[in-house]
Amino acid sequence: MQSIRSIVLISGLLISTVVSAADFPGLGPKGNLVSIGIETAGQPVLTGKNARKQFVVTGTYSSGQKHDLTHDVAYAVDQPQVLTVAQDGLVTPMVDGDAIVTVRATDGKTATVSLKVQKCSEELPVNFVDEVVPIFTRLGCNSGGCHGKSDGQNGFKLSLLGFYPEDDYEYLVHEERGRRLFPADPDFSLLLLKPANVLPHGGGKRMEPGTYEWQLISNWIGQGSPGGSPDDPTLERIEVIPAVREMNIATKQQLSVVAYYSDGSTRDVTRLASYEANQPEMVFTEPGGRITVEDTPGEAAVMVRFQGQVAVFRAVIPQGLPVETLPPQKTFIDQLVYARLKQLGIPPSGLCDDATFIRRATLDITGQLPTAEEARAFIADTNANKRDALIDRLVASPGYADYFANKWAAVLRNKRRNGNDVRFTYRFHNWIRQQLDQNTPYNEFVRSILTASGDAESHPPVAWYRELGSSTVQMEDTAQLFLGMRLACAKCHHHPFERWSQQDYYGFEAFFTQVALKVGRYNPETNRPDVVYLNGNVAQSRNPRSQQMVKPTGLGSEPLDIPAWEDARHAMVDWMAARENPFFAKALVNRYWKHFFGRGIVDPEDDLRVTNPPSNPELLAALEKHFLDHRFDLKDLVKTICRSSVYQLSSEPTEFNQADTQNFSSFYPRRLPAEVLYDAINHVAAVPASFGGVPQGTRAVQLPDNGFNNYFLQVFGKPEAESACECERSPEANLAQSLHLLNSTDVQGRLQNGSGRAAEFARDQERKDEEKVTELYLWAFSRNPAPDELKLVTDHIAASQNKQQAWEDVIWAMLNAKEFQFLR
């Protein structure tokens, strides 16, 4: 092919000026310090010499801002023999008594707090569960990459993240005849010498001799390694102080963590808790609970873990620019996104032009490019409501059902393994498409799948169960796909990032324990079961750890008594679809939001948990309410999202919002999915695809299953329907993709096809080259060419002896342009 590198510049790159975070005002001038205060929670009592308390000192300024002063004030104690306060605000008890702590800022403003110290002279037993095990978690000893692995590390095993302290006690005290502990001289115990790296340790140095953690473990060993009593109070929850704080870039915030117990007591566990940022590029955490904000505006969360409980601190990091000019506010989506942008001081981009919008909306809703005539007519239309009318037309078109059936079929595992599966996968795909086309309410759509019974030929949703042969997989897919919850971790141990335990896991699994599968009488040649029936047993599951039977239980709900003659799955869907269910509708609107914006309000879209908070909680709640108010109407949800000005923002960031990746201040460009890109190439080249087993002209997004051998779809990341996770579809670019577009026989054959667009344009002697180039731009980019682009291409055509070769070059250049391959 002739070299025409200049034509590749058809779609140029926008080069933005890089603005430093230091150039932004953030919260703005603080003003004068008005007052200081000590933020506390729990009881003002320290019990025993091992107790600690972390102060959080906050300064309030004349601007209304609050800033952390914990490490910048002076501490004075009226009874210094009772307790001491370190410069970082950590209180250490000395003897029993009462003391008043005075905090003094550099300008002389003060605040006081009274504390009581008790039982300091008593040798209180070190609590293994609440004081020893958390140290292993904090130091990383019981993580999945160390001794918390299923088979341990170097002969020593701990339960993952300390979720089963009774096992840890057995491993430490009784295993290997207790050789890890040396009660006669605790400081010479292997349990201390190894993590301190006094003796060689594969995990390196984890603690220093003499530190708080060292002393706690040493005291515990010296006391005879008490295991605690069944009557000990149990941990119910933890609280982080503060829970949320607006912070400037490059500032710090001290946190305090308080544990609440079943007997009403509280304890400061700041120095025993673990801290983990969900976006490490935005926030850095220190072991003592101090966090540092980096240079990216937005919102970041820090997960705080103590034993099986988690809490979240949210750092809101404003950019601080005035947001005065906003695109039109058309829907509640705009209101809530703009409110967030104003809070963060991130000005949004303007609205995209009509050409960009018709291409974006048509691709997002139907998975195909608009025709040249559709693009031309839309650009020329002067009707003020033309965008809403376009959205309505697209949602009502067959293309909507085609594209979203493709999306749902992949995550519903509509997988063909061999020719025997065709009758099932084709029927299931057709059923999905039909439900979407008819706009079946989402709750009914889900109920038809989850409660499917009979044979897969007469009731196609039964095909879902063909790929899910056990109640555990059925439950896990249900939770991930329809509730946005990844529960697989809780099968073997407490979920590391959530409150879900093994009891929760097996309680939810119990809904599926009545399901049985078999091969139908009339399909003996099928390779997998194709009939679902109920086994007649009472719905219940066995917790392998406790060996107790568990009744069907919705997540966070009460167990249900369901007789053997009732299908427990209906009770499960009743719970899921109830208006008060906190997961079902929220998971769906978040999943659809990601489809249209490239990232979820909670991201990943199937990982809704308290430790992965939404970037805009108010927006997610409003979308959930809207979806419920409109009775699970999927088409209405699509229209609502696409009609918003937020969806219609330009993809070209400004120098003031280019760092934003989570607040939707501009449209985030993304690469076209494999099927859509393949159809787009065929659309521009005017050469229909040919797939065996389906009618000629069937588009890639219309394929009923994964069983079509097409290298293009494979190399560009089409999922194989092996998972309920949309992450199976790879959005990443690679060298094989670039080479395939540049010089594969597949693409070249379409360009050189005698019936294709290049040949057609070469034969067309009646129309001017300018007219044909304009039409080609409309086919590929849904816009008219700029004057310099038009001249560049027409000059190339005019200078070429072989006109078809010249048109092939032009189309080839367009197909390799980023503007073509990306949704923007």
Side-chain angles (χ1 to χ4, degrees), residues 483 581-591 602 605 608 620-621 624 627:
L483 301 177
N581 186 287
F583 314 116
F584 184 65
K586 185 180 296 180
L588 186 280
V589 299
N590 188 60
R591 183 178 294 274
V602 175
E605 77 284 349
L608 275 63
L620 184 58
E624 178 188 21
F627 190 49

Side-chain angles (χ1 to χ4, degrees), residues 702-725:
Q702 296 174 315
L703 295 176
D705 59 31
N706 66 307
F708 296 87
N709 186 20
N710 183 282
Y711 181 73
F712 184 98
L713 298 181
Q714 177 186 343
V715 78
F716 278 87
K718 182 182 187 300
E720 288 297 315
E722 293 180 341
S723 167
C725 183

